[in-house]
Amino acid sequence: VTLRAVAADERGCLFQSCAHYRADGRGELHLGTDASHGGDYTGVEPMGLFWSLAPAGMERPYQRLLPRSTGAPMKVEMLVHQGHSQRSVMPGPVMAKAEVERWFTAPGVRRIRLKEGGVRGSLFLPPGDGPFPGVIDMYGDEGGLVEFRSSLLATRGFAALSLPYFDFEDLPKVMKEFKLEYFEEAARFLQRHPKVKGPGVGVIGTGKGAELALSMITFLPEVVAAVCISGCSSNTVADLHYGDMTLPGLRFDMNKVSVSDTGVFDTFEALDDPVNPANSPCTIPVEKAEGHFLLVVGEDDRVWKSSLYAELAIGRLRQHGKDNFQLLSYPGAGHRIDPPSTPFCQVAVDRVLGVPVMGGGESKAHARAQEHSWGKIQEFLRLHLG
């Protein structure tokens, strides 16, 4: 049989995946123990139909399937077709089907939209009296409000503040320059919230968000634990101000971007070299941080050299006699390491540039990295936030 999963995003774009299985003598198969023999993945992969979801043939390629709203489930139709068929051809007759709901918020989790001073975003609180460990959650240069990781953290017992920092409501439209005071205000708000355990809070960030997380734990005493996924050890693109101090942003040299025959942009070599002494003013002085770091990288990240940047940060900490860090480095994983079973997207249309950009990685290795890192991230945050 061919097992097929079909889902639609909020705009109605269809995503699908398929895998080939052989049922037993009773006509049964079990995704937890039976191996796929072909299709979008092979081997025993219980969640393979989820992490291999990709735009259907008639849709625009390189789109991501990400939940825009956390209040409703993602509905996935699972179909069993007779015979083995590839995703590009008409599958055999449907023998059985069922609808699966993937929820991103557990019953009882509260979502509170924030307009607190200058701070914008959504606060997700677990059910119960608390107090709970508090975490600020930030994504990268796509901007806007991305909530699904925060709602999943709240489902796991964290008070999670999904914090946008540009292109949302009255925040700046583009990444031109940032004031660390905005992030300080968010950290103080979360730290003082009656449902949040003290004395310090944590922060988790991906891409540009990871780099901001590094700056927050370096300069803000309220932040005592930072999870940095695929970040840079220097400030990039937009200047970062804090009082009288400014960290200039490393720039991207568009002449170093290569474009494939299929129109996919590869930005791997484009960021200015942080090791160049001329760029030392951009370096985040992580050795000043009193808290703890968890650095998460995919060794096949093609957006930029996140493995090198993690090593630079670790080298700087070691140089100053510090061992307040952990590194999770995943062979075969690409740039955006999300919570488990988030569909793998080797190439994705960049929201700012509007062109497909190579993220790197191989689907099965990336899926493993997402699953393993998610458990380790929660362990780290619980250890350092109580």
Side-chain angles (χ1 to χ4, degrees):
V1 294
T2 297
L3 255 65
R4 199 159 65 97
V6 182
D9 67 10
E10 281 86 346
R11 297 160 303 174
C13 173
L14 277 182
F15 292 77
Q16 61 179 19
S17 59
C18 73
H20 302 158
Y21 288 91
R22 190 169 293 283
D24 65 16
R26 291 173 303 180
E28 294 179 358
L29 66 91
H30 193 288
L31 293 182
T33 52
D34 293 339
S36 162
H37 303 290
D40 291 331
Y41 59 89
T42 56
V44 179
E45 296 291 340
M47 294 298 284
L49 287 168
F50 283 82
W51 55 249
S52 62
L53 281 164
M58 76 289 277
E59 301 288 358
R60 274 180 32 246
Y62 312 137
Q63 297 187 74
R64 285 189 187 284
L65 178 58
L66 289 175
R68 304 282 168 211
S69 129
T70 57
M74 180 189 289
K75 294 184 176 180
V76 184
E77 189 173 29
M78 311 298 264
L79 302 114
V80 182
H81 295 271
Q82 196 175 327
H84 288 168
S85 53
Q86 298 301 334
R87 62 158 45 230
S88 53
V89 300
M90 185 67 79
V94 175
M95 303 167 75
K97 62 180 180 178
E99 189 176 77
V100 175
E101 290 185 344
R102 183 169 191 199
W103 286 84
F104 293 87
T105 310
V109 168
R110 287 170 60 210
R111 172 182 178 266
I112 302 156
R113 282 300 301 276
L114 280 193
K115 259 197 173 174
E116 193 71 33
V119 177
R120 302 291 173 263
S122 297
L123 177 63
F124 290 86
L125 294 173
D129 295 334
F132 309 103
V135 182
I136 292 171
D137 177 26
M138 299 181 294
Y139 268 92
D141 60 7
E142 66 267 42
L145 179 65
V146 183
E147 297 179 312
F148 76 104
R149 185 165 61 193
S150 299
S151 66
L152 288 171
L153 283 167
T155 295
R156 299 286 183 273
F158 295 91
L161 168 55
S162 181
L163 185 69
Y165 47 94
F166 77 103
D167 196 20
F168 181 73
E169 292 184 351
D170 54 357
L171 296 175
K173 286 307 288 176
V174 293
M175 284 204 302
K176 197 171 176 192
E177 57 178 2
F178 292 121
K179 288 186 163 56
L180 198 61
E181 284 83 356
Y182 172 76
F183 303 91
E184 182 175 53
E185 192 182 344
R188 286 178 176 169
F189 163 79
L190 190 62
Q191 184 192 35
R192 292 168 183 163
H193 195 282
K195 290 272 189 182
V196 172
K197 257 185 200 176
V201 297
V203 59
I204 177 171
T206 297
K208 178 67 186 176
E211 176 198 306
L212 287 163
L214 282 182
S215 293
M216 288 170 74
I217 193 170
T218 296
F219 296 110
L220 308 179
E222 296 84 2
V223 178
V224 298
V227 178
C228 305
I229 302 169
S230 308
C232 185
S233 52
S234 292
N235 186 53
T236 67
V237 184
D239 293 356
L240 180 68
H241 306 285
Y242 186 46
D244 297 333
M245 180 212 74
T246 296
L247 287 182
L250 287 181
R251 302 298 171 190
F252 277 95
D253 182 349
M254 295 312 283
N255 294 319
K256 292 184 179 171
V257 175
S258 61
V259 186
S260 73
D261 296 341
T262 55
V264 174
F265 284 57
D266 187 339
T267 59
F268 188 68
E269 296 289 349
L271 188 67
D272 287 347
D273 182 4
V275 179
N276 183 334
N279 294 323
S280 61
C282 306
T283 306
I284 301 165
V286 289
E287 70 279 1
K288 293 184 176 180
E290 295 299 322
H292 292 263
F293 299 88
L294 177 62
L295 305 170
V296 183
V297 295
E299 292 175 18
D300 194 29
D301 184 348
R302 292 298 303 178
V303 169
W304 58 14
K305 303 174 183 179
S306 53
S307 288
L308 167 67
Y309 305 150
E311 289 302 336
L312 291 175
I314 286 169
R316 203 171 169 100
L317 290 167
R318 283 194 173 128
Q319 208 179 333
H320 289 84
K322 299 207 158 189
D323 61 356
N324 54 341
F325 61 86
Q326 249 181 292
L327 173 66
L328 297 175
S329 185
Y330 294 103
H335 179 70
R336 191 163 154 158
I337 299 172
D338 274 322
S341 307
T342 301
F344 170 67
C345 211
Q346 189 182 52
V347 176
V349 174
D350 185 276
R351 217 181 119 257
V352 180
L353 299 175
V355 297
V357 173
M358 175 70 76
E362 177 276 313
S363 59
K364 195 181 283 195
H366 193 88
R368 294 251 194 293
Q370 293 194 142
E371 187 147 347
H372 183 264
S373 62
W374 183 238
K376 291 293 181 187
I377 286 166
Q378 292 174 68
E379 272 175 35
F380 170 83
L381 291 170
R382 283 201 179 91
L383 177 65
H384 297 295
L385 301 176

